[in-house]
Amino acid sequence: MMNKKKILSCALSFALFASAGLNTYAAGFTDTENHWSASFVERACAENIVSGYPGGVFKPDAKVSHQEAMTMVCKTVESILPGKLNMNKADSYRSMLLGLDFDPSWALPFGAALFDAGAAYKEDFSGTAKDPAARQTIGAWMVRALDLPIAPLCETDCFTDMSSIASRYFGEAWALKHYGLMTGYVDGSLGPANQVTRAEFATVCVNTLDSMAKLSEKNGKHKLADCLFLKTGTIQSIDSKTNAISFSWGGSYCVPEDALIIVDGSYVDFASLASYSGQNLVVSFLYDQQSALVIQTKPLAESGKVKSVAKEGDFYNIGILTGSGHVVNYALSMDSGFKVPAEGAKVSFIAQGVEILEII
């Protein structure tokens, strides 16, 4: 990972995985020639992620609006995963988007694509689509649109200002740093509410291209193999105001509001975790499309219907529909010796956290 330019005056530490040899493209913007972002803007232009204004200018220091950011997110995702987003949903979301003041002449397809993909929500807008967007918001859109795994437990020291990040963005904030999309400022903070300039977000988009390329090259570092977490210890404290939880092994984490919390096979709310303080627990979590924090006081026999089976790294990712109607993904090691259950099969098993120990 290259930490881009101290030329950024340390004001932008949006440094991500930078390309080993960043090419220079001739976009010809008159106002970026001596700007710190010149190579990023030119590359983003060449990748059809951004464009300039009449008169040959880019306006690198202008603030990015919500609708502009959504456009850039869509074009970045399309460059990485062609066809991933449905760009023909404008009519389905027209009324809502116009209510948010999206420009009907060009912005509706991009806004609709992100809403349709579940990457954007109305609560992401503190104002209108034409207002400047915040770092935590546009970062979340990029993470969600790329379907990057999101951790239901996020280290509270992920960024030094995690307490300032809206709790609904905790998981996305963790993914931003984990995958290198935003490493934060030099003091370790994300600056979640800070507005973003066109040059800054062009940099994010360009380096997202490079970081995703590097990620796809990693052998054996797929979702489940990379995401499975398993530790034994006790709960030291919980804070219901910030959804923070501390464990005896030294970890302090934030739990996003939408994460499933399962204790001994039953779904519980965050506040009820206080009743387990001091007990020896097996704690695991899986960040996937259905994020789950799983806590057990002992290995647990479980059962359900197999909804999906996929090879991921050194594990089989087995999605199981539980009696409560939720799909929880479990890990079965490829060298376990057990026959991998087929989709549609009913299965009973003993699990420790989200790792299957035995099929019965």
Side-chain angles (χ1 to χ4, degrees), residues 4-343:
K4 275 310 193 204
K5 301 193 179 184
K6 293 179 178 178
I7 291 182
L8 303 187
S9 302
C10 301
L12 169 74
S13 196
F14 262 160
L16 309 100
F17 287 124
S19 172
L22 190 62
N23 295 321
T24 299
Y25 300 89
F29 296 122
T30 59
D31 56 350
T32 61
E33 183 177 353
N34 297 313
H35 198 272
W36 62 262
S37 66
S39 60
F40 295 101
V41 170
E42 289 167 355
R43 169 118 181 254
C45 184
E47 298 283 356
N48 196 36
I49 293 171
V50 301
S51 59
Y53 292 91
V57 297
F58 181 72
K59 301 182 181 179
D61 298 317
K63 303 298 184 184
V64 171
S65 68
H66 290 87
Q67 60 185 3
E68 289 173 331
M70 295 180 105
T71 301
M72 294 165 73
V73 168
C74 287
K75 291 185 175 183
T76 302
V77 173
E78 179 62 21
S79 182
I80 297 168
L81 300 168
K84 173 72 170 58
L85 299 174
N86 188 339
M87 301 302 299
N88 299 306
K89 302 294 289 187
D91 287 343
S92 300
Y93 294 88
R94 177 176 294 273
S95 178
M96 181 191 68
L97 296 175
L98 291 179
L100 290 170
D101 201 24
F102 274 76
D103 190 321
S105 66
W106 61 270
L108 298 186
F110 303 104
L114 293 187
F115 274 100
D116 189 64
Y121 305 95
K122 287 187 72 174
E123 55 264 34
D124 293 333
F125 292 78
S126 56
T128 75
K130 295 175 182 175
D131 290 331
R135 284 165 63 99
Q136 63 182 354
T137 305
I138 62 175
W141 290 341
M142 188 71 83
V143 168
R144 296 170 188 161
L146 289 169
D147 281 337
L148 289 175
I150 295 173
L153 283 183
C154 309
E155 295 90 339
T156 54
D157 61 354
C158 175
F159 291 105
T160 57
D161 55 353
M162 283 293 286
S163 61
S164 298
I165 298 173
S167 58
R168 67 180 181 275
Y169 296 131
F170 281 160
E172 287 85 352
W174 178 91
L176 285 172
K177 188 166 186 179
H178 182 73
Y179 294 102
L181 273 65
M182 292 185 187
T183 59
Y185 295 111
V186 292
D187 63 355
S189 65
L190 174 64
N194 291 355
Q195 296 173 354
V196 184
T197 68
R198 284 169 54 82
E200 288 172 341
F201 199 49
T203 302
V204 171
C205 294
V206 165
N207 286 307
T208 296
L209 298 178
D210 295 329
S211 67
M212 294 303 293
K214 288 176 180 285
L215 184 64
S216 68
E217 294 169 0
K218 291 184 177 181
N219 296 322
K221 292 290 285 185
H222 303 288
K223 276 189 180 180
L224 200 61
D226 192 28
C227 304
L228 185 66
F229 170 98
L230 187 67
K231 287 185 180 292
T232 300
T234 60
I235 294 175
Q236 300 293 292
S237 65
I238 72 167
D239 185 340
S240 295
K241 291 183 179 179
T242 61
N243 265 32
I245 183 168
S246 297
F247 294 98
S248 57
W249 60 78
S252 181
Y253 306 87
C254 292
V255 182
E257 294 175 343
D258 59 353
L260 298 178
I261 303 176
I262 306 168
V263 178
D264 286 341
S266 298
Y267 294 88
V268 302
D269 58 25
F270 182 82
S272 67
L273 294 178
S275 64
Y276 296 93
S277 296
Q279 295 186 48
N280 198 46
L281 307 170
V282 176
V283 180
S284 60
F285 63 87
L286 180 68
Y287 43 103
D288 196 8
Q289 295 304 303
Q290 187 79 56
S291 300
L293 163 62
V294 182
I295 295 177
Q296 292 176 332
T297 60
K298 56 180 182 256
L300 189 67
E302 302 191 60
S303 62
K305 183 177 180 180
V306 177
K307 297 295 290 183
S308 62
V309 178
K311 290 183 179 180
E312 295 185 354
D314 300 325
F315 296 85
Y316 289 100
N317 181 352
I318 303 176
I320 297 178
L321 177 64
T322 66
S324 66
H326 291 288
V327 175
V328 178
N329 291 303
Y330 288 86
L332 176 65
S333 174
M334 287 187 178
D335 60 5
S336 68
F338 297 114
K339 182 179 179 180
V340 180
E343 290 185 19

